[in-house]
Amino acid sequence: MSEKYLKLSPTIHLAPRIIRNLRERIVELLLLGAAISSIATTIGILGILIYESFSFFQQVSIIKFLTDTEWSPLFENPRYGVVPLVSGTLVTTVVALSLAIPLGTIAAIYLSEFASPKLREIAKPCLEILAGIPTVVYGYFAYLFVTPLLQIPLPDLPGSNMLSAGLVMGIMIIPYVSSISEDAMRAVPVHLREGSYAMGATRLQTALRVVFPAAISGISAAYILGISRAVGETMIVAIAAGLQPILTWNPMEEAATITAYIVGVTQGDLPHGSLEYQTIFAAGLVLVLMTLVFNILGHFLTKRYREVY
Amino acid sequence: MTIDNLHQLHRLIARNRFWEKIFIVFGILSLLVGIITLLALLIDMTIDGLPRLSWQFFTSFPSRKYEEAGILSAWVGTCLVILVTAIAAIPIGIASGIYLEEYAKKNWLGDIIEINVTNLAGIPSIIYGLLALGLFVEQLKLGRSILTAGLTLSLLVLPIVIVTTREAIRAIPNSIREAACALGASKWQTIWDHILPYSIGSILTGIIIGLARAVGETAPLITIGALTFIAFLPDSPFKSEFPYISFNWLQAEFTVMPIQMFNWVSRPDPEFQSNAAAAGVVLVFMTLAMNAIAIFIRYRLRRRIKW
Amino acid sequence: MVENHPSQASKFKCEVKNLNFYYGSVRVLKDINLSVFSHQVTALIGPSGCGKTTLLRCFNRMHDLYPGNRYTGEIELDKINILAPWIDPIEVRMRIGMVFQKPNPFPKSIYENVAYGLRVRGQSQRSAIDETVEQALRNAALWDEVKDRLYDLAFNLSGGQQQRLCIARALATNPEMILFDEPTSALDPIATASIEELITQLKEKVTILIVTHSMQQAARISDRTAFMYLGEIIEFDRTQTIFSDPTHRKTQDYVNGRFG
């Protein structure tokens, strides 16, 4: 037996050890390289957007871009005011959220505080399917089902309108809001709930006055995720809300969002380096900045609610 | 406690109970809104699209005549693009997940990668399209090809793969790592022999869900300039003569299912819209089937290993 | 170095000299000196939190897996300081096996669990592995119970069988020394008895260092016992002496159950 130990003495096994350590280092470097690719993606995104927008803003002043109320880059006398696109984005977002936030929140409270485990097991995947349907299918649904349906009570509603796009987008966002809110509420410790029950509170009172406030930062993170989904959603609005950049705050009208504009323009053939080509990057930059603000806000809110317990 | 007080208490409790019942009704209703919409969508689309679903629909190219049009180039395009996406996203995603969970030290680099991945998951998909247009198409001259499209979608899927890989790895108890190390396994041997095999099932569900999302993704591919009217198939990857494999298809122009559907929806005539519905049925079937597989795998795993 | 081969005749397998261990800036082990006798069972006892597990894990450099841990002093294995920075911790772990508090088999077959250590050592000859696996399982008194289901998942074994499987896994690689970290704390009394019996048999083949939460266990199976308190070794002697005639007051109080 002692022969076997001999072979393991440090000097004799030096070569395999060097090879092994080398292999470990190479593997670690490869993995690090893969991890860094995500940083490269971010740098790529910001780099491309800023690079192309920079040429754009050399020809169009930033003040004009932010204040002009008309967006007509493809016309004879082009105007480059981003306000109509932002208004379209905001209106559809508000419509979507005014549907998704109440429904998502109530569904989350119901699932976390009232529903039996069995119902929860069935309902959660069903809701998650909603988030898994391709958005182009939602666009079809909004344009060819919801709009005609809305035209029955609202005969003046145009074929392309922000209302139906926003509503369908709201349905799509429900699972984003409900599943994260539910996770946040279920993370509230049982002893808080029991304290409330011991005082004679009903489940509803406990849910609204104890659980909901305790989970509020997680729930607001869910709302913010919903907002950033709605702001960045493209196909539903491109199909159902139209491609005309019109400055209006009325959801019953047609108007293009930032995303719809990009899709509309890139369907044609854009000459590389032209001002029209650069407009989509400037519009994209605005979009990224909007979602970035929401994402960072959401990141800190989730971090906070994880630290509470 | 007097009788009077007790009466008051009972009334209060009855009122509280009443509100609770009202809320339960609302809770069920808000669940139903989503589920009924889902059903309405599926039924409406199936009714519109079913008459067009035939063998011919799957084996025909798009056409100016609605009754001759089909989705051959679209579904072949989707399959090839997703193939490229999977080949690019799976190894890089799993590798990054392993790095972040097993190697990354608690320093600025780890923090930056961490925040960055969360952020990438929140960036709208169309922005990835702009990146691909500016970088892959214009700077790297990869063209409006299957390669470009696959790489674009892989960037989109990457955060999903990374996040699920990390969660799967985190679920493996530390005692397994210590057991392997105590036997003299190196760090990489521990990962390769134990961590990866034990977590690969959960990682797989994440990959499938990510790829299902890529199948339905439209906006970034429109942005890079995918065509909507493709009446030919890309070069076959298999050749009859040496070296039997060809990569010409990577450079081919393409269309995919959601873009074909988008194109048909935008046509004013209702005949094309029923083509869109039929394409939609196929598309939804593809994504739901992938999700179902993922849910099934997750269910099987949950029953098998309990740490 | 080749000349300096481990002599089976040497009295001490392992000698700890002035060992200090720090978690970050906290000093957890203070000036530990300990001699582990060859082919004997040495037990570490003491109240929880006294550092006995921490000391045990120094012997196979498990602490190297986590950042912020630091050693000073020496642990000599056959006169070579295994804590020296130039010594490969993996080689140390190949020579010193370990069995953990909770049975932690890999979610693989029984056979693969035992064979894993051999595979890590580059052994790929099927017949040799088969032979070693059988021998290890026999030595761990598990062979008769599992010989018909070697390819079953190890998770299907009972807790006591899983722990014996972990012992077989450590034995398969023919270590010079095995560290046991409270190996029976998660087991029922019958399984505990069989593990204890196994440990006393094993000392013919390997040197054993065991951390235990139970003084009775130390008294039953060990030849030497070290009593630790607050990161220090208060007393180290023959087990019999520690339990019947300890020098220090603390030791006396502890073995008589007055604290801990």
Side-chain angles (χ1 to χ4, degrees):
Chain A
M1 233 196 261
S2 62
E3 259 76 45
K4 277 188 184 166
Y5 301 144
L6 260 178
K7 282 188 197 150
L8 285 167
S9 111
T11 37
I12 294 181
H13 263 227
L14 208 58
R17 179 182 166 186
I18 290 172
I19 292 170
R20 162 157 48 74
N21 287 350
L22 197 66
R23 189 189 60 195
E24 295 284 318
R25 294 296 302 166
I26 291 173
V27 165
E28 182 170 351
L29 278 178
L30 285 177
L31 295 176
L32 174 66
I36 281 180
S37 70
S38 74
I39 293 186
T41 310
T42 309
I43 293 175
I45 287 175
L46 291 178
I48 280 288
L49 289 181
I50 292 170
Y51 172 74
E52 297 287 356
S53 305
F54 188 73
S55 336
F56 173 79
F57 285 123
Q58 280 182 329
Q59 297 170 61
V60 179
S61 85
I62 293 191
I63 314 273
K64 255 252 149 77
F65 179 69
L66 293 177
T67 53
D68 196 344
T69 55
E70 201 176 303
W71 178 265
S72 51
L74 306 178
F75 288 9
E76 199 124 336
N77 288 318
R79 305 224 349 228
Y80 302 98
V82 81
V83 179
L85 297 183
V86 172
S87 78
T89 303
L90 290 181
V91 171
T92 47
T93 302
V94 167
V95 173
L97 292 176
S98 50
L99 186 72
I101 286 189
L103 287 181
T105 312
I106 292 176
I109 296 178
Y110 179 75
L111 283 178
S112 126
E113 304 297 312
F114 292 88
S116 63
K118 206 166 183 184
L119 177 64
R120 200 183 301 134
E121 287 281 293
I122 298 169
K124 279 193 86 166
C126 279
L127 281 181
E128 269 156 32
I129 289 178
L130 281 176
I133 300 268
T135 52
V136 66
V137 172
Y138 276 120
Y140 166 91
F141 180 67
Y143 186 53
L144 294 174
F145 185 85
V146 176
T147 299
L149 202 68
L150 290 173
Q151 275 166 340
I152 300 169
L154 306 164
D156 294 336
L157 198 67
S160 294
N161 64 83
M162 294 188 281
L163 182 63
S164 75
L167 289 177
V168 171
M169 200 150 84
I171 298 280
M172 181 195 81
I173 291 170
I174 289 178
Y176 292 99
V177 174
S178 70
S179 84
I180 296 181
S181 303
E182 195 213 324
D183 288 346
M185 283 193 279
R186 299 241 279 157
V188 173
V190 182
H191 63 84
L192 277 184
R193 287 193 184 85
E194 286 180 345
S196 166
Y197 289 138
M199 313 264 290
T202 59
R203 278 185 184 213
L204 180 63
Q205 287 170 318
T206 309
L208 295 183
R209 296 188 186 193
V210 176
V211 179
F212 188 87
I216 191 69
S217 41
I219 293 171
S220 23
Y223 293 171
I224 282 165
L225 178 71
I227 296 174
S228 90
R229 281 279 145 198
V231 168
E233 174 43 45
T234 309
M235 294 319 291
I236 301 178
V237 286
I239 294 172
L243 298 172
Q244 300 300 320
I246 301 164
L247 177 57
T248 170
W249 302 100
N250 180 0
M252 314 238 255
E253 284 179 35
E254 159 178 20
T257 63
I258 301 176
T259 51
Y261 168 73
I262 298 174
V263 161
V265 171
T266 46
Q267 270 182 284
D269 207 12
L270 276 181
H272 173 61
S274 66
L275 199 56
E276 294 85 49
Y277 175 82
Q278 286 157 0
T279 58
I280 60 173
F281 290 92
L285 188 62
V286 174
L287 185 65
V288 164
L289 291 179
M290 282 169 84
T291 49
L292 206 61
V293 169
F294 289 124
N295 285 340
I296 290 172
L297 213 59
H299 181 72
F300 283 111
L301 284 172
T302 13
K303 243 193 161 162
R304 227 186 77 195
Y305 104 86
R306 284 206 186 119
E307 281 162 6
V308 172
Y309 313 114
Chain B
M1 197 172 259
T2 65
I3 299 287
D4 226 24
N5 274 347
L6 208 58
H7 256 342
Q8 239 174 357
L9 196 64
H10 285 165
R11 269 213 304 280
L12 182 73
I13 292 173
R15 206 169 59 214
N16 286 347
R17 286 255 162 81
F18 170 75
W19 283 114
E20 196 166 76
K21 285 202 180 96
I22 297 274
F23 180 83
I24 290 179
V25 172
F26 270 98
I28 292 173
L29 279 180
S30 57
L31 281 181
L32 285 180
V33 168
I35 290 163
I36 287 174
T37 312
L38 184 65
L39 286 180
L41 184 158
L42 295 179
I43 292 170
D44 171 58
M45 210 166 59
T46 314
I47 291 174
D48 287 355
L50 209 53
R52 291 289 304 124
L53 279 178
S54 63
W55 184 244
Q56 172 266 335
F57 188 67
F58 287 93
T59 55
S60 305
F61 290 110
S63 161
R64 277 175 231 292
K65 297 192 190 111
Y66 79 92
E67 70 275 10
E68 288 174 11
I71 53 168
L72 178 62
S73 48
W75 70 257
V76 171
T78 288
C79 292
L80 293 175
V81 168
I82 294 303
L83 182 68
V84 176
T85 304
I87 291 173
I90 293 173
I92 297 182
I94 295 181
S96 325
I98 293 175
Y99 182 82
L100 290 176
E101 209 51 40
E102 298 285 330
Y103 286 89
K105 313 203 170 49
K106 275 279 147 220
N107 60 12
W108 59 272
L109 186 61
D111 280 353
I112 285 183
I113 299 178
E114 175 109 47
I115 293 176
N116 190 51
V117 170
T118 344
N119 255 324
L120 277 182
I123 286 183
S125 62
I126 193 162
I127 298 296
Y128 287 90
L130 291 180
L131 169 68
L133 176 64
L135 191 67
F136 298 156
V137 179
E138 301 296 352
Q139 303 289 343
L140 301 179
K141 305 284 177 214
L142 296 180
R144 313 182 155 196
S145 59
I146 290 177
L147 181 63
T148 304
L151 291 180
T152 310
L153 292 184
S154 72
L155 293 180
L156 204 71
V157 172
L158 211 49
I160 304 177
V161 179
I162 295 176
V163 169
T164 40
T165 302
R166 297 189 62 181
E167 281 171 2
I169 291 179
R170 213 177 298 151
I172 291 175
N174 211 26
S175 63
I176 292 292
R177 292 181 186 86
E178 293 198 336
C181 283
L183 286 169
S186 66
K187 188 160 196 168
W188 177 242
Q189 281 174 326
T190 307
I191 293 170
W192 184 252
D193 294 338
H194 300 284
I195 308 290
L196 262 184
Y198 309 155
S199 58
I200 198 70
S202 324
I203 296 176
L204 201 61
T205 59
I207 290 172
I208 296 174
I209 287 174
L211 291 181
R213 208 184 130 195
V215 167
E217 203 52 75
T218 325
L221 298 187
I222 294 181
T223 314
I224 62 169
L227 300 180
T228 47
F229 194 91
I230 297 262
F232 55 87
L233 287 182
D235 242 23
S236 162
F238 304 106
K239 295 278 175 222
S240 54
E241 70 266 19
F242 191 78
Y244 304 111
I245 268 185
S246 131
F247 292 101
N248 287 339
W249 57 275
L250 283 173
Q251 274 119 46
E253 294 187 310
F254 69 100
T255 189
V256 289
M257 291 290 300
I259 288 182
Q260 186 63 67
M261 181 177 175
F262 175 56
N263 176 252
W264 281 332
V265 175
S266 338
R267 303 267 187 106
D269 28 352
E271 286 86 359
F272 274 108
Q273 290 173 352
S274 58
N275 274 357
V281 171
V282 178
L283 188 58
V284 168
F285 180 80
M286 285 165 92
T287 53
L288 287 192
M290 289 172 85
N291 277 301
I293 292 172
I295 290 172
F296 178 72
I297 294 177
R298 199 189 319 170
Y299 176 74
R300 281 287 300 272
L301 282 175
R302 216 189 297 166
R303 294 202 324 183
R304 219 189 68 203
I305 295 181
K306 290 225 166 40
W307 295 106
Chain C
M1 296 301 266
V2 187
E3 288 76 31
N4 183 15
H5 67 82
S7 80
Q8 297 288 312
S10 161
K11 206 168 139 200
F12 302 133
K13 183 70 199 169
C14 234
E15 276 179 287
V16 184
K17 294 178 177 168
N18 297 321
L19 175 70
N20 285 284
F21 179 77
Y22 303 83
Y23 280 130
S25 57
V26 187
R27 189 171 167 212
V28 193
L29 297 178
K30 296 162 193 163
D31 293 321
I32 301 284
N33 286 288
L34 180 76
S35 303
V36 181
F37 287 72
S38 273
H39 296 280
Q40 290 199 353
V41 177
T42 306
L44 299 172
I45 61 168
S48 56
C50 68
K52 46 192 194 307
T53 296
T54 309
L55 173 58
L56 188 81
R57 289 161 68 97
C58 290
F59 280 83
N60 65 346
R61 293 186 59 175
M62 276 318 249
H63 296 299
D64 288 35
L65 297 178
Y66 308 97
N69 297 336
R70 194 159 55 84
Y71 319 83
T72 63
E74 297 182 354
I75 296 181
E76 287 186 350
L77 176 69
D78 297 328
K79 308 291 174 207
I80 298 168
N81 176 19
I82 56 171
L83 294 187
W86 56 83
I87 293 284
D88 184 1
I90 287 177
E91 189 189 316
V92 174
R93 295 181 199 131
M94 286 191 172
R95 294 173 62 178
I96 302 183
M98 183 166 183
V99 175
F100 294 82
Q101 190 168 2
K102 259 182 73 187
N104 56 355
F106 302 124
K108 300 187 176 200
S109 69
I110 294 169
Y111 178 90
E112 276 306 320
N113 262 282
V114 184
Y116 183 66
L118 302 170
R119 297 200 194 282
V120 169
R121 284 157 178 74
Q123 177 71 267
S124 57
Q125 202 190 334
R126 176 80 198 204
S127 60
I129 294 181
D130 279 350
E131 197 180 312
T132 318
V133 167
E134 176 175 344
Q135 196 52 47
L137 284 168
R138 278 187 196 284
N139 287 341
L142 194 60
W143 175 252
D144 292 332
E145 291 160 65
V146 299
K147 63 176 178 227
D148 303 324
R149 46 176 180 146
L150 284 176
Y151 300 99
D152 273 14
L153 204 60
F155 278 21
N156 296 334
L157 298 174
S158 73
Q161 288 174 323
Q162 287 190 11
Q163 195 61 302
R164 274 181 281 153
L165 178 66
C166 292
I167 296 174
R169 187 171 68 182
L171 283 174
T173 57
N174 220 338
E176 298 154 56
M177 184 169 161
I178 297 185
L179 313 170
F180 286 86
D181 184 5
E182 304 195 14
T184 60
S185 66
L187 302 179
D188 61 75
I190 296 172
T192 302
S194 74
I195 301 269
E196 284 180 4
E197 194 192 326
L198 184 56
I199 290 173
T200 33
Q201 287 168 6
L202 285 177
K203 69 178 173 186
E204 285 168 23
K205 300 192 182 64
V206 292
T207 305
I208 287 171
L209 185 60
I210 179 169
V211 164
T212 172
H213 59 294
S214 127
M215 281 177 280
Q216 292 82 347
Q217 184 169 65
R220 281 194 297 266
I221 63 175
S222 70
D223 305 294
R224 315 244 161 197
T225 297
F227 169 64
M228 287 184 74
Y229 185 66
L230 296 177
E232 288 177 276
I233 290 192
I234 304 291
E235 195 168 348
F236 175 53
D237 213 324
R238 292 182 181 280
T239 300
Q240 218 180 350
T241 318
I242 290 280
F243 282 96
S244 56
D245 185 23
T247 318
H248 289 261
R249 183 65 199 273
K250 269 275 174 241
T251 317
Q252 200 172 2
D253 288 350
Y254 183 74
V255 297
N256 291 328
R258 265 177 234 138
F259 78 102

Short mmCIF file of all heavy atoms in Angstrom, two decimals, chain B residues 206-232:
data_model
loop_
_atom_site.label_atom_id
_atom_site.label_comp_id
_atom_site.label_asym_id
_atom_site.label_seq_id
_atom_site.Cartn_x
_atom_site.Cartn_y
_atom_site.Cartn_z
N GLY B 206 -35.32 26.78 -18.98
CA GLY B 206 -35.07 28.19 -19.27
C GLY B 206 -34.73 28.40 -20.74
O GLY B 206 -35.21 29.35 -21.37
N ILE B 207 -33.90 27.50 -21.28
CA ILE B 207 -33.52 27.64 -22.68
C ILE B 207 -34.74 27.53 -23.58
O ILE B 207 -34.93 28.33 -24.50
CB ILE B 207 -32.48 26.56 -23.04
CG1 ILE B 207 -31.15 26.86 -22.35
CG2 ILE B 207 -32.29 26.48 -24.55
CD1 ILE B 207 -30.13 25.76 -22.49
N ILE B 208 -35.59 26.54 -23.30
CA ILE B 208 -36.77 26.34 -24.16
C ILE B 208 -37.68 27.56 -24.09
O ILE B 208 -38.18 28.05 -25.10
CB ILE B 208 -37.52 25.06 -23.77
CG1 ILE B 208 -36.63 23.84 -24.01
CG2 ILE B 208 -38.79 24.93 -24.58
CD1 ILE B 208 -37.21 22.56 -23.52
N ILE B 209 -37.91 28.08 -22.87
CA ILE B 209 -38.77 29.25 -22.74
C ILE B 209 -38.17 30.43 -23.50
O ILE B 209 -38.86 31.18 -24.20
CB ILE B 209 -39.00 29.58 -21.25
CG1 ILE B 209 -39.94 28.54 -20.64
CG2 ILE B 209 -39.58 30.97 -21.07
CD1 ILE B 209 -40.13 28.65 -19.15
N GLY B 210 -36.85 30.60 -23.38
CA GLY B 210 -36.19 31.67 -24.11
C GLY B 210 -36.33 31.51 -25.61
O GLY B 210 -36.66 32.47 -26.33
N LEU B 211 -36.14 30.29 -26.11
CA LEU B 211 -36.25 30.07 -27.56
C LEU B 211 -37.69 30.26 -28.02
O LEU B 211 -37.92 30.76 -29.13
CB LEU B 211 -35.75 28.67 -27.92
CG LEU B 211 -34.24 28.46 -27.77
CD1 LEU B 211 -33.86 27.05 -28.19
CD2 LEU B 211 -33.46 29.48 -28.60
N ALA B 212 -38.67 29.88 -27.17
CA ALA B 212 -40.07 30.09 -27.53
C ALA B 212 -40.33 31.58 -27.72
O ALA B 212 -41.04 32.01 -28.63
CB ALA B 212 -40.99 29.53 -26.45
N ARG B 213 -39.71 32.38 -26.85
CA ARG B 213 -39.86 33.82 -27.01
C ARG B 213 -39.24 34.28 -28.31
O ARG B 213 -39.77 35.14 -29.01
CB ARG B 213 -39.21 34.53 -25.82
CG ARG B 213 -39.88 35.85 -25.56
CD ARG B 213 -39.22 36.62 -24.46
NE ARG B 213 -38.98 37.97 -24.97
CZ ARG B 213 -38.18 38.82 -24.38
NH1 ARG B 213 -37.54 38.50 -23.30
NH2 ARG B 213 -38.02 40.02 -24.90
N ALA B 214 -38.09 33.70 -28.63
CA ALA B 214 -37.41 34.11 -29.87
C ALA B 214 -38.25 33.75 -31.09
O ALA B 214 -38.28 34.49 -32.07
CB ALA B 214 -36.04 33.43 -29.95
N VAL B 215 -38.96 32.61 -31.04
CA VAL B 215 -39.80 32.22 -32.17
C VAL B 215 -40.86 33.29 -32.45
O VAL B 215 -41.16 33.59 -33.60
CB VAL B 215 -40.48 30.86 -31.88
CG1 VAL B 215 -41.59 30.58 -32.88
CG2 VAL B 215 -39.46 29.74 -31.92
N GLY B 216 -41.42 33.87 -31.38
CA GLY B 216 -42.49 34.84 -31.57
C GLY B 216 -42.02 36.26 -31.77
O GLY B 216 -42.83 37.16 -31.99
N GLU B 217 -40.73 36.48 -31.68
CA GLU B 217 -40.20 37.85 -31.72
C GLU B 217 -40.24 38.39 -33.15
O GLU B 217 -39.76 37.74 -34.07
CB GLU B 217 -38.77 37.83 -31.18
CG GLU B 217 -38.27 39.14 -30.65
CD GLU B 217 -39.18 39.78 -29.62
OE1 GLU B 217 -39.23 39.33 -28.46
OE2 GLU B 217 -39.83 40.77 -30.01
N THR B 218 -40.79 39.58 -33.32
CA THR B 218 -40.96 40.15 -34.64
C THR B 218 -40.15 41.41 -34.85
O THR B 218 -39.41 41.57 -35.84
CB THR B 218 -42.44 40.52 -34.86
OG1 THR B 218 -43.25 39.57 -34.22
CG2 THR B 218 -42.76 40.58 -36.33
N ALA B 219 -40.30 42.35 -33.89
CA ALA B 219 -39.80 43.71 -34.10
C ALA B 219 -38.32 43.77 -34.47
O ALA B 219 -37.96 44.43 -35.45
CB ALA B 219 -40.08 44.55 -32.85
N PRO B 220 -37.43 43.08 -33.73
CA PRO B 220 -36.00 43.24 -34.07
C PRO B 220 -35.69 42.72 -35.46
O PRO B 220 -34.77 43.23 -36.12
CB PRO B 220 -35.28 42.43 -33.00
CG PRO B 220 -36.28 41.63 -32.32
CD PRO B 220 -37.60 42.27 -32.52
N LEU B 221 -36.44 41.71 -35.93
CA LEU B 221 -36.14 41.16 -37.24
C LEU B 221 -36.66 42.08 -38.35
O LEU B 221 -36.06 42.17 -39.43
CB LEU B 221 -36.74 39.76 -37.38
CG LEU B 221 -36.17 38.75 -36.39
CD1 LEU B 221 -36.68 37.35 -36.69
CD2 LEU B 221 -34.64 38.77 -36.41
N ILE B 222 -37.76 42.78 -38.08
CA ILE B 222 -38.21 43.78 -39.07
C ILE B 222 -37.16 44.87 -39.16
O ILE B 222 -36.81 45.34 -40.24
CB ILE B 222 -39.56 44.38 -38.65
CG1 ILE B 222 -40.65 43.31 -38.70
CG2 ILE B 222 -39.93 45.54 -39.56
CD1 ILE B 222 -42.01 43.82 -38.33
N THR B 223 -36.63 45.26 -38.00
CA THR B 223 -35.67 46.35 -37.99
C THR B 223 -34.41 46.02 -38.80
O THR B 223 -33.89 46.89 -39.50
CB THR B 223 -35.26 46.67 -36.54
OG1 THR B 223 -36.44 46.73 -35.75
CG2 THR B 223 -34.52 47.96 -36.46
N ILE B 224 -33.94 44.79 -38.71
CA ILE B 224 -32.75 44.48 -39.50
C ILE B 224 -33.10 44.28 -40.97
O ILE B 224 -32.23 44.04 -41.79
CB ILE B 224 -31.98 43.24 -38.99
CG1 ILE B 224 -32.85 41.99 -39.07
CG2 ILE B 224 -31.47 43.45 -37.60
CD1 ILE B 224 -32.06 40.72 -38.83
N GLY B 225 -34.39 44.37 -41.30
CA GLY B 225 -34.77 44.34 -42.70
C GLY B 225 -35.04 42.97 -43.25
O GLY B 225 -34.69 42.65 -44.39
N ALA B 226 -35.70 42.11 -42.44
CA ALA B 226 -36.12 40.82 -42.97
C ALA B 226 -37.13 41.07 -44.08
O ALA B 226 -37.95 41.98 -43.99
CB ALA B 226 -36.74 39.98 -41.86
N LEU B 227 -37.06 40.28 -45.12
CA LEU B 227 -37.99 40.47 -46.23
C LEU B 227 -39.30 39.78 -45.91
O LEU B 227 -39.37 38.89 -45.06
CB LEU B 227 -37.39 39.89 -47.51
CG LEU B 227 -36.07 40.56 -47.90
CD1 LEU B 227 -35.54 39.94 -49.17
CD2 LEU B 227 -36.26 42.05 -48.07
N THR B 228 -40.37 40.19 -46.58
CA THR B 228 -41.64 39.54 -46.32
C THR B 228 -42.04 38.66 -47.48
O THR B 228 -42.93 37.86 -47.37
CB THR B 228 -42.74 40.59 -46.11
OG1 THR B 228 -42.63 41.55 -47.15
CG2 THR B 228 -42.59 41.24 -44.78
N PHE B 229 -41.39 38.82 -48.61
CA PHE B 229 -41.79 38.04 -49.78
C PHE B 229 -40.59 37.23 -50.25
O PHE B 229 -39.74 37.70 -50.99
CB PHE B 229 -42.27 38.98 -50.88
CG PHE B 229 -43.01 38.26 -51.96
CD1 PHE B 229 -44.38 38.09 -51.87
CD2 PHE B 229 -42.34 37.72 -53.04
CE1 PHE B 229 -45.07 37.41 -52.86
CE2 PHE B 229 -43.02 37.02 -54.02
CZ PHE B 229 -44.39 36.87 -53.93
N ILE B 230 -40.52 36.00 -49.79
CA ILE B 230 -39.38 35.15 -50.14
C ILE B 230 -39.94 33.91 -50.82
O ILE B 230 -40.69 33.15 -50.22
CB ILE B 230 -38.61 34.72 -48.88
CG1 ILE B 230 -38.01 35.93 -48.18
CG2 ILE B 230 -37.56 33.70 -49.24
CD1 ILE B 230 -36.59 36.19 -48.50
N ALA B 231 -39.61 33.76 -52.07
CA ALA B 231 -40.17 32.64 -52.83
C ALA B 231 -39.11 31.59 -53.12
O ALA B 231 -39.10 30.96 -54.17
CB ALA B 231 -40.83 33.13 -54.11
N PHE B 232 -38.17 31.45 -52.21
CA PHE B 232 -37.18 30.39 -52.40
C PHE B 232 -36.73 29.93 -51.03
O PHE B 232 -36.95 30.62 -50.03
CB PHE B 232 -35.98 30.90 -53.20
CG PHE B 232 -35.35 32.12 -52.59
CD1 PHE B 232 -34.38 32.00 -51.60
CD2 PHE B 232 -35.75 33.41 -52.98
CE1 PHE B 232 -33.82 33.12 -51.02
CE2 PHE B 232 -35.18 34.52 -52.39
CZ PHE B 232 -34.21 34.39 -51.43
#
